[in-house]
Amino acid sequence: MTRAVIDTSKCVGHGQCAMMAPDVFDLDAGGYAETIAGELTGDRRRDAETAAMACPEQAIRIED
């Protein structure tokens, strides 16, 4: 199963992931990223990978 994992110790709340992949990421009440999708397939996987590469803190990884 492919999924997105956020290293919460690195996330500072830029929110780019939620803007780039809103079906995969959202922001919690404190403004930090959280994963809202289970398994990533097709467009969700592509969007999650793009968001991970764009994360300024490199806090997101995609695991298979």
Side-chain angles (χ1 to χ4, degrees):
M1 180 168 103
T2 302
R3 63 190 185 113
V5 178
I6 300 169
D7 182 341
T8 57
S9 69
K10 291 181 179 180
C11 179
V12 297
H14 289 287
Q16 290 184 10
C17 57
M19 288 187 292
M20 297 180 87
D23 289 342
V24 180
F25 304 103
D26 199 1
L27 301 180
D28 66 14
Y32 296 96
E34 61 183 359
T35 303
I36 59 171
E39 184 170 4
L40 300 177
T41 58
D43 289 344
R44 277 189 178 166
R45 181 182 176 129
R46 185 197 68 228
D47 292 347
E49 289 171 343
T50 301
M53 288 186 290
C55 177
E57 307 304 328
Q58 296 299 291
I60 302 169
R61 68 181 183 278
I62 307 302
E63 293 183 347
D64 288 311

